[in-house]
Amino acid sequence: MIEFKGVSKTYNGKVKALDNMNFTVGDGELVGFIGPNGSGKTTTIKLLSGVLVPDNGLVKVNGFDVNKEPLKAKASIGYIADNPDVFLRLKGVEFLNFIGDVYKTPADERKKTIDELAERFEMQNALNSQILSYSHGMRQKLMVIAALMHKPKVWILDEPMTGLDPKSSFELKALMREHTKAGNSVFFSTHVLEVAEKLCDKVVIIKKGHKLYDGTLAELEKRNKDKNLEDIFLELTGKK
Amino acid sequence: MNVFLQLIKITGSSVEPSIDEKKRSQAFGVIMGFLVFTLIFIPVSGFVGYMVYALTKGVVALGGAESAAAGLSLMLHIIALFSVVFGFTVVMSVFYFSSDLNYLLPLPISPMKIVGAKLASTMISENVMECFLVFSALLGFMAGYGFDPPSGGGINAVSIIAAIFGVLTFPVVPICYCAAICLVVMYFSKFFKNKERVSKLTAFSSIVILAALVFALNLSNGFDPDAFVSQLINNDIGLLNVLDKIFFNVSLLSKAMSGSFAALLLYIIANAASVGIVLLLASKLYLKAVISLGGGEGSASSKEAVDAYSKKIKESSQLMTYFKKELKILIRTPAYMSNCMGINLIWPIFIYVFVVLQKQSNFLGDSIDKLKAGDSQTVLFATLLVFGVSVLLTSLNCIASSAVTREGRHFEVMKYLPVDIMTQLNAKALVSIVVSGAGLIVYIITAFAILGIAPSFTIYCVLLSILAVIYSTYLGIYIDTKNPKLIWEDELNALRGNYHVFYNMALELIVTAALCGASYGLFLLGFLPVFIIQSLIMLLAAFLSYEFYTVCKKKGVANIKKIEM
Ligand SMILES: Nc1ncnc2c1ncn2[C@@H]1O[C@H](COP(=O)(O)OP(=O)(O)OP(=O)(O)O)[C@@H](O)[C@H]1O
Ligand SMILES: [Mg+2]
């Protein structure tokens, strides 16, 4: 469950990146977040993960206010940032073990998730070498494994498919679907409209910090008869 | 040429703080900059200048114009040596491990130009402190020699031109040596699997070489100024003769400073030639070596791989796991390994030099006898010395004062992990306390055991040292939370471009000086027995540790929360 109510965010007192943004992601919902470059997606996601503090408004995850009970809120999120280049000097498994300790996941549960996901993502060999030697996609997959070890109810992912090969992105999409089927929430940003179209129950469309649309894809397509999502998106965001 | 200047700007730009960082606390920066300048730069430069002045006076009085520049050339050799030792790690990380390479290499720019730009920006960034030192050395020489000394000779217009050239170009030859050696080593290191290990080894051997050189100065009979000056005049110091051949720029500059126009010309040509040679080497060796960096691991079977990673999955507390993570990063990053860990090993060299210098007067022997006899003034001095060295060692390895800066671009991780910020700062503090504390305990116990000092005083000193380390650590961390430099291109930049290291040292020098003054004052008043003063010092150290821990917990954590990237 994600609640985002009346949130505004300004960088350095100048750049207004988000203006009175509202949306919710319910349990069991898989929600895609789309918008042109610089529209405020990463800003929204950083506000959810506690990296940024809003100027005003309410950000709640799993019932915890991210700014009032930050540790509890953070511990209940599986977060993947837009840049997977962290702690490059650690080996893959050392990074996972660090994250496991930080989120207080018991060792046997850690091992179970790692075994399963490392196989699905073909990362078993790589886990024994330093992250420095990974390709971008491998780093991304490591972040996915790390974010899921503590079995968070809410997943928040910033462009998680970037750089993944077809098999890995298929696996990630499958994981996201399995997760919401089990009654949890997933919120992710993407530029790939087909992914949003095929995968999501709902989409949130944003432009220049303002929400343009928030609802099911079926509803959106009903409103715009005979148009595909790409046309609708381009029209909404004023590129056409 | 335009491209070249642009490149220098790019490769050097990471040294400059961003406008945002600048704004965040300008007044703090100005005040601290002033302190650093008056407390660190000026005294060191003053010392160097005075040494050269005194040596030149002595040498001229004894040996005349012939050997007037002997003292100057000794000091320049020492400066050149240090430039080489520190230059290695700088060149290595700027040339080979800097992240701007990702953008530069695909561009249609010749390797010669890239290396040229990197060489120039290395020299510029290394030059600030060195400029001061060379300037003071040259000034000391000019003052010591004079325009018209009774012994003939003297400085002239050529000397002044040479001085200007010297201050601006002195690091050229030492840095070119580093660059040439790095280019060759890295070229051949394609035969080794792990480049980082090679670069670590290079950094370490440079420390070992420095140590070896200090020992080779062969002052084992103690330091006698008169004998030393006559040795200087007669070229009797073997090591200097060797160095003279290596750093040919030193003797040329010294001769030019004594007024030889031919030497000045040769000096300029030699500098240009060394840059030329490095660029030539670069055009042949650079690209291949830098491109082959990185590269994957050999593939084990998945069964073996699973076994290998499974062994590593173990539980520990948040504090411990964070501590281990920090320590691993410090050890595995070459720039941190040499500047934060390796630097703790140079202290025995200082001690050795000190032991040698005092041999003639037997100051140490007398003091130790007095210490054993319980002479109160000596006991007090020893106590203050332990405090000062502990604080200095901790701030010199900059583990604490770069604790937040080292996070760099992935600083936001500190914010989204479900770990209390203070716990994270404590883990960072623990690394500094363990590394510095372990070093100091080993040094203190070994030294005191060799000297046969009473166990009770040893225990007191160990405790005092640990408290001093804790206080210095939390102060360093607090300073770094104030305005960490989070945008840097390579790790060395995180340490060098980070003035917090100096700020920390400056503040600690003030506190230590105040402490020494106050306790000596108390002692002179004479109504307090020394063990009371010692207890007061211990109490004060405990108070400072607690105080800065609290400051970190309140203000440091708030600072971290305020930073948005
Ligand atoms: N650290 C920052 N400082 C100042 N302005 C920023 C900062 N980060 C983002 N912005 C500004 O905020 C706005 C929203 O940026 P954001 O990164 O949220 O966009 P985005 O939707 O994630 O874009 P993309 O699709 O390119 O990832 C942009 O105008 C950007 O310039
Ligand atoms: Mg983004």
Side-chain angles (χ1 to χ4, degrees):
Chain A
M1 181 76 178
I2 297 174
E3 295 158 87
F4 209 78
K5 282 194 193 134
V7 177
S8 301
K9 176 70 197 173
T10 314
Y11 283 108
N12 310 324
K14 288 192 297 271
V15 190
K16 188 124 194 168
L18 275 189
D19 196 6
N20 192 21
M21 179 81 171
N22 292 287
F23 68 89
T24 53
V25 179
D27 289 340
E29 278 185 340
L30 210 175
V31 177
F33 191 26
I34 48 187
N37 293 135
S39 55
K41 298 184 298 298
T42 298
T43 307
T44 305
I45 286 177
K46 284 187 176 171
L47 286 161
L48 282 171
S49 61
V51 171
L52 296 177
V53 179
D55 303 343
N56 44 46
L58 179 75
V59 184
K60 266 182 147 180
V61 180
N62 291 318
F64 301 116
D65 187 322
V66 174
N67 299 295
K68 297 224 174 83
E69 295 180 280
L71 295 186
K72 282 187 185 152
K74 289 174 198 173
S76 70
I77 303 175
Y79 170 57
I80 298 179
D82 57 348
N83 175 4
D85 303 332
V86 297
F87 305 144
L88 301 181
R89 306 279 166 175
L90 295 187
K91 293 178 179 170
V93 59
E94 289 169 346
F95 178 74
L96 293 177
N97 202 45
F98 168 71
I99 294 292
D101 284 336
V102 159
Y103 284 86
K104 300 180 179 155
T105 316
D108 48 341
E109 265 177 51
R110 272 178 226 179
K111 177 151 167 48
K112 232 177 100 207
T113 317
I114 296 173
D115 283 345
E116 186 203 328
L117 294 184
E119 189 172 348
R120 276 173 92 160
F121 287 132
E122 300 180 338
M123 286 283 288
Q124 287 141 320
N125 279 327
L127 286 186
N128 295 309
S129 39
Q130 284 189 18
I131 304 176
L132 200 62
S133 69
Y134 289 12
S135 70
H136 179 80
M138 289 158 79
R139 291 178 191 182
Q140 192 73 29
K141 290 191 272 187
L142 185 73
M143 294 303 135
V144 174
I145 303 177
L148 304 189
M149 276 188 311
H150 63 289
K151 308 259 182 280
K153 283 186 72 65
V154 170
W155 294 2
I156 297 170
L157 324 171
D158 199 353
E159 295 185 38
M161 310 305 177
T162 320
L164 294 192
D165 59 23
K167 168 151 195 301
S168 307
S169 87
F170 170 81
E171 292 289 354
L172 181 58
K173 284 184 269 182
L175 279 170
M176 284 159 67
R177 227 182 267 117
E178 289 162 26
H179 193 61
T180 42
K181 282 252 167 64
N184 304 304
S185 326
V186 175
F187 181 69
F188 74 103
S189 71
T190 183
H191 285 298
V192 190
L193 296 174
E194 287 85 54
V195 170
E197 201 162 12
K198 282 197 191 125
L199 201 64
C200 300
D201 308 313
K202 270 173 54 179
V203 289
V204 175
I205 303 178
I206 182 180
K207 183 192 171 186
K208 292 196 180 147
H210 291 278
K211 189 176 77 179
L212 296 180
Y213 179 77
D214 172 9
T216 63
L217 277 162
E219 172 69 24
L220 188 63
E221 275 163 7
K222 211 164 71 192
R223 275 200 224 164
N224 300 270
K225 283 251 158 54
D226 305 325
K227 286 185 198 143
N228 62 20
L229 183 59
E230 185 171 25
D231 288 335
I232 301 171
F233 178 78
L234 292 177
E235 230 163 66
L236 264 178
T237 54
K239 292 278 160 70
K240 203 170 172 180
Chain B
M1 202 56 205
N2 225 341
V3 179
F4 185 67
L5 287 180
Q6 205 68 28
L7 274 178
I8 295 184
K9 243 179 109 184
I10 295 169
T11 45
S13 65
S14 42
V15 182
E16 294 250 316
S18 72
I19 299 174
D20 199 36
E21 282 173 341
K22 258 186 205 156
K23 255 201 312 206
R24 229 181 272 150
S25 73
Q26 218 160 28
F28 178 73
V30 170
I31 296 170
M32 292 311 295
F34 176 75
L35 284 183
V36 165
F37 195 76
T38 46
L39 288 176
I40 299 172
F41 279 23
I42 292 190
V44 174
S45 310
F47 174 75
V48 165
Y50 179 75
M51 281 293 284
V52 173
Y53 170 81
L55 278 174
T56 307
K57 279 252 170 201
V59 168
V60 171
L62 272 171
E66 280 297 84
S67 44
L72 174 66
S73 103
L74 169 72
M75 189 56 77
L76 290 180
H77 276 310
I78 294 175
I79 298 176
L81 256 181
F82 271 94
S83 322
V84 169
V85 169
F86 291 113
F88 263 123
T89 39
V90 182
V91 167
M92 203 54 112
S93 53
V94 170
F95 279 29
Y96 291 97
F97 299 107
S98 152
S99 62
D100 55 17
L101 287 173
N102 294 338
Y103 314 109
L104 288 181
L105 289 180
L107 297 177
I109 304 175
S110 72
M112 224 190 216
K113 269 193 185 141
I114 297 182
V115 169
K118 284 180 170 288
L119 197 64
S121 71
T122 309
M123 282 177 195
I124 293 168
S125 73
E126 282 296 275
N127 210 355
V128 181
M129 185 72 196
E130 199 159 305
C131 257
F132 271 102
L133 296 182
V134 174
F135 177 77
S136 342
L138 297 183
L139 205 63
F141 170 74
M142 295 203 273
Y145 197 20
F147 276 100
D148 197 13
S151 50
I155 56 172
N156 55 23
V158 176
S159 321
I160 293 175
I161 299 171
I164 296 171
F165 268 102
V167 169
L168 293 179
T169 59
F170 190 74
V172 170
V173 169
I175 296 289
C176 281
Y177 268 115
C178 296
I181 294 173
C182 287
L183 281 166
V184 172
V185 166
M186 288 308 268
Y187 180 74
F188 287 105
S189 75
K190 68 181 173 206
F191 302 119
F192 298 97
K193 224 171 130 198
N194 189 335
K195 298 250 170 191
E196 299 232 313
R197 206 164 292 159
V198 176
S199 101
K200 259 185 234 169
L201 264 179
T202 321
F204 256 103
S205 33
S206 59
I207 292 182
V208 172
I209 290 171
L210 178 70
L213 284 174
V214 171
F215 287 96
L217 263 175
N218 195 18
L219 299 167
S220 39
N221 293 323
F223 184 76
D224 171 5
D226 293 335
F228 188 70
V229 166
S230 79
Q231 275 181 323
L232 261 182
I233 295 169
N234 302 325
N235 280 337
D236 255 2
I237 302 177
L239 176 68
L240 277 185
N241 293 331
V242 178
L243 282 181
D244 238 8
K245 304 238 159 48
I246 298 177
F247 297 118
F248 49 87
N249 61 331
V250 168
S251 66
L252 288 176
L253 181 60
S254 305
K255 282 190 193 120
M257 285 299 295
S258 319
S260 155
F261 184 66
L264 175 61
L265 268 187
L266 269 177
Y267 175 78
I268 295 169
I269 293 170
N271 274 306
S274 2
V275 174
I277 290 170
V278 168
L279 292 183
L280 197 71
L281 275 175
S283 65
K284 300 260 183 292
L285 307 180
Y286 183 59
L287 267 195
K288 261 196 188 145
V290 81
I291 283 174
S292 69
L293 280 177
E297 288 278 302
S299 58
S301 80
S302 3
K303 172 86 179 59
E304 273 169 43
V306 171
D307 286 347
Y309 77 63
S310 298
K311 267 186 234 140
K312 297 257 173 77
I313 302 177
K314 280 189 211 109
E315 283 174 41
S316 24
S317 70
Q318 286 189 332
L319 184 74
M320 276 322 285
T321 199
Y322 208 102
F323 167 78
K324 281 189 266 180
K325 178 214 89 181
E326 291 281 321
L327 200 60
K328 276 180 194 144
I329 292 176
L330 277 182
I331 292 173
R332 290 183 194 166
T333 310
Y336 298 157
M337 183 65 195
S338 50
N339 286 277
C340 302
M341 311 293 266
I343 189 119
N344 297 315
L345 301 177
I346 69 171
W347 288 86
I349 301 178
F350 288 161
I351 295 170
Y352 173 80
V353 170
F354 175 72
V355 169
V356 165
L357 286 180
Q358 56 77 45
K359 233 172 198 164
Q360 205 71 18
S361 60
N362 198 26
F363 169 75
L364 194 61
D366 291 348
S367 309
I368 289 164
D369 290 341
K370 279 194 211 158
L371 189 62
K372 282 184 189 159
D375 173 63
S376 31
Q377 179 166 332
T378 317
V379 169
L380 182 63
F381 283 167
T383 307
L384 293 172
L385 189 70
V386 166
F387 183 85
V389 168
S390 310
V391 166
L392 202 62
L393 183 140
T394 314
S395 55
L396 201 63
N397 69 31
C398 63
I399 297 178
S401 50
S402 67
V404 182
T405 299
R406 288 199 307 270
E407 294 290 322
R409 280 174 226 263
H410 53 64
F411 168 75
E412 63 170 45
V413 177
M414 282 188 81
K415 297 228 177 160
Y416 70 68
L417 289 181
V419 185
D420 188 47
I421 303 280
M422 192 57 198
T423 311
Q424 304 191 38
L425 294 183
N426 278 334
K428 288 170 182 290
L430 197 58
V431 179
S432 162
I433 294 168
V434 167
V435 173
S436 314
L440 282 163
I441 291 175
V442 170
Y443 289 153
I444 293 176
I445 292 183
T446 331
F448 283 21
I450 292 173
L451 301 175
I453 288 169
S456 58
F457 188 60
T458 311
I459 293 171
Y460 169 82
C461 285
V462 166
L463 285 179
L464 180 66
S465 172
I466 291 172
L467 285 175
V469 167
I470 294 176
Y471 134 69
S472 171
T473 294
Y474 279 105
L475 173 59
I477 290 187
Y478 169 65
I479 291 178
D480 202 34
T481 61
K482 242 186 126 63
N483 191 12
K485 175 187 160 58
L486 296 171
I487 311 285
W488 34 259
E489 292 306 320
D490 58 75
E491 286 94 353
L492 195 66
N493 223 289
L495 306 178
R496 289 292 164 88
N498 180 354
Y499 292 106
H500 293 168
V501 178
F502 287 118
Y503 295 172
N504 189 10
M505 250 184 256
L507 275 183
E508 269 158 19
L509 280 172
I510 296 179
V511 174
T512 310
L515 173 73
C516 293
S519 28
Y520 193 55
L522 269 183
F523 174 76
L524 285 186
L525 286 181
F527 60 81
L528 285 178
V530 73
F531 79 88
I532 300 268
I533 300 180
Q534 276 184 306
S535 318
L536 286 177
I537 294 175
M538 186 76 109
L539 273 178
L540 185 74
F543 169 75
L544 285 174
S545 306
Y546 176 75
E547 193 54 31
F548 281 102
Y549 170 82
T550 324
V551 166
C552 259
K553 192 162 178 170
K554 293 208 179 104
K555 299 204 177 139
V557 170
N559 285 339
I560 298 272
K561 287 191 174 152
K562 246 187 294 177
I563 302 168
E564 291 189 345
M565 281 186 83

